[in-house]
Amino acid sequence: MTKIVIVGGVAGGASAACRARRLDETAEIIVFERGSYVSYANCGLPYYVGGSISERSKLAVQTPQSLRSRFNIDVRIETEVVGIDAKAHEVEALDHATGKTYRESYDKLLLSPGAGPVRPPLSGIDLPNVLTVRSIPDVDRICAAATHRQGQRAVVVGGGFIGVEMAENLVDRGLSVELVEMSDHIIKSLDADMAVDLHRELRANGVTLHLEEGLEGIEQRVDSLAVSTNKGRLIACDMVILAIGVRPETKLALASGITCGPRGHIVVDDQMRTNLSDIYAVGDAVQVTDFVGGTATAIPLAGPANRQGRLAAHNMLGGSDTYTGTQGSSIVKVFGLAAASTGLTEESARAQGIDVDKTYLTQPHHATYYPGAKTMGLKVLWEKGTGKLLGAQAIGSEGVDKRIDVIATAIRFGADVRDLVSLELCYAPPFNSAKDPVNIAGFVAQNVLDGTLSQFFPEDVAGLPRDGSVTLIDVRTPGEHARGRIDGFANIPVDEIRARLDEIPTDKPVYLHCKSGQRSYIACRILTGLGYSCYNLAGGYDRWSAIYA
């Protein structure tokens, strides 16, 4: 009989425990959890604050009693493992209810300690109503502080998933919210040129954004708090939510001689084994391999943690499954929008030295002639020359998850971006167009890679000469041009291009744009066929204006 001891529940630990039981009815399985909740929906915590999840009990996925009755798992809550004796194959546990410590033997040990919210060493960081979001007790404290008193104000520090979700849900709860983020954009799994859509949505729903601004300290006032930033700003509020990021809970691992990486994450092999015999680790505390870039990284997401737990359970019981890396597929709701991504961003690809190319699309989520079609923005990245699919980002109110899930699957199976052309995806007018946005992304990339299309990008627009050495043309309708234009671009609608060739010199490069890039691509093909050298603005006026206007 194998004795498995698991340190930490929630995603990775609880998944491992249940999988181990399904594989081996005779195994002895013990789960130590230092908190009061062994398996809860921590991704649902912000939505309990906002009221979308109305019943607190819904947050508890499993209880010690349910794990005991269904899976015969010995769950010991409020018991913290404070030491590991790897040679003796024993752990030392502290029962917080009694204050007593005891030792427990193991054949296999799994560490799933997770990651805790960062609390930087700043003045006022430990004041009452300076709160974090990690556990059910955390949201109990937030709900107690957010009493629905009229005029309550909150400052959220950090524009990652938790920070943005908390900003939305505090607004839903009736609070006035300001969000402070040190970067130039929120949600680091998006590039700045896509995140601008979320900035606009947050502001439209009353959230005040302070970008490129860092927390300096917090002061207690008579009946409120005051948040100071590195730009000299002082923001009065009633509560502060710290969502700056997470730090792996690896103090126990380090003290036990387990190898950790440069950022403190536990180093594991592709079977989730640490450097110590019979000790495994999973979840937010472990270092993983970036599936696309091949570099060591940490990606704290529930999906990978669950898969790692399942895999580790099999391997602790004699299996040899391998974890092939994490590609960071994720999605976030921001009021009326959803933002999803997978793989590398343009920023992370360039940081890894990858020669990256890209395109932007603006597409309806289903056939436009069927009522209710909603527009989405899509950015797709590939490696220049090879066409290797690197990543994608999408933002819209409908259909975003479907497109990113398709591209995430393509990446997982090693697709070339041109392979997106051949994907046969479901079509009926209420659900899609005959050419899915994913297919169209493949068409564009194929055109770029075979030389049919030359692109320029929103960041190139300001640097284009306005001295007559190049020709700049806006091929939208006169009405569109009048409502908003890019300086220096003359208006020649696409359907008038052939009739107005005398206005377009043949000996100069021609840069064209339309609303989305589709009509200007048609104009490019007309002019290229007549001997012109043409460049099309990827994403068109819509993407340029979202970023710069």
Side-chain angles (χ1 to χ4, degrees), residues 53-328:
I53 299 172
S54 58
E55 297 179 43
R56 185 175 179 277
S57 60
K58 297 289 187 183
L59 295 172
V61 179
Q62 293 282 358
T63 66
Q65 294 75 25
S66 67
L67 288 171
R68 165 69 77 180
S69 61
R70 179 165 295 180
F71 295 101
N72 191 26
I73 294 169
D74 181 1
V75 178
R76 304 178 188 179
I77 60 172
E78 297 182 13
T79 304
E80 182 176 3
V81 173
V82 294
I84 300 171
D85 186 338
K87 290 183 179 179
H89 276 51
E90 291 181 340
V91 298
E92 183 178 6
L94 169 63
D95 184 335
H96 286 292
T98 66
K100 295 181 179 180
T101 61
Y102 61 94
R103 295 174 77 88
E104 189 73 55
S105 64
Y106 65 83
D107 295 315
K108 303 290 182 181
L109 175 64
L110 176 68
L111 302 181
S112 180
V118 172
R119 276 186 174 268
L122 299 173
S123 62
I125 207 73
D126 295 318
L127 287 169
N129 287 352
V130 178
L131 307 168
T132 57
V133 188
R134 188 197 182 201
S135 65
I136 293 175
D138 286 342
V139 295
D140 287 341
R141 285 187 283 270
I142 292 169
C143 290
T147 59
H148 292 285
R149 175 169 57 83
Q150 188 172 5
Q152 270 197 299
R153 303 154 298 176
V155 171
V156 177
V157 183
F161 294 119
I162 293 296
V164 170
E165 289 168 350
M166 282 304 303
E168 175 181 353
N169 281 281
L170 288 169
V171 168
D172 288 347
R173 200 176 174 92
L175 279 74
S176 170
V177 179
E178 302 194 35
L179 192 152
V180 176
E181 167 55 46
M182 188 173 289
S183 175
D184 64 349
H185 70 284
I186 63 170
I187 309 295
K188 292 302 289 182
S189 58
L190 302 174
D191 286 310
D193 52 14
M194 297 295 286
V196 290
D197 294 347
L198 301 186
H199 299 167
R200 185 169 57 248
E201 183 72 4
L202 284 165
R203 289 174 176 133
N205 284 276
V207 177
T208 301
L209 284 182
H210 304 288
L211 299 174
E212 298 183 273
E213 200 158 348
L215 176 67
E216 286 283 290
I218 305 166
E219 302 173 19
Q220 180 70 62
R221 299 293 173 86
V222 175
D223 58 354
S224 65
L225 299 171
V227 172
S228 57
T229 75
N230 60 358
K231 289 191 174 179
R233 193 187 310 275
L234 203 63
I235 309 171
C237 62
D238 299 293
M239 73 169 70
V240 177
I241 306 296
L242 296 177
I244 299 169
V246 294
R247 183 177 290 118
E249 299 271 11
T250 51
K251 182 179 178 181
L252 174 66
L254 283 166
S256 307
I258 293 172
T259 300
C260 292
R263 294 170 55 195
H265 297 84
I266 298 170
V267 175
V268 293
D269 66 10
D270 61 4
Q271 294 189 6
M272 308 313 296
R273 298 176 298 198
T274 71
N275 61 302
L276 298 185
S277 178
D278 297 321
I279 300 180
Y280 295 70
V282 299
D284 294 353
V286 303
Q287 179 176 289
V288 297
T289 299
D290 183 312
F291 179 79
V292 181
T295 57
T297 187
I299 303 176
L301 294 170
N306 276 285
R307 290 192 293 277
Q308 291 162 13
R310 186 178 192 276
L311 181 150
H314 188 205
N315 292 344
M316 287 190 291
L317 291 167
S320 57
D321 292 349
T322 58
Y323 188 72
T324 55
T326 302
Q327 66 194 69

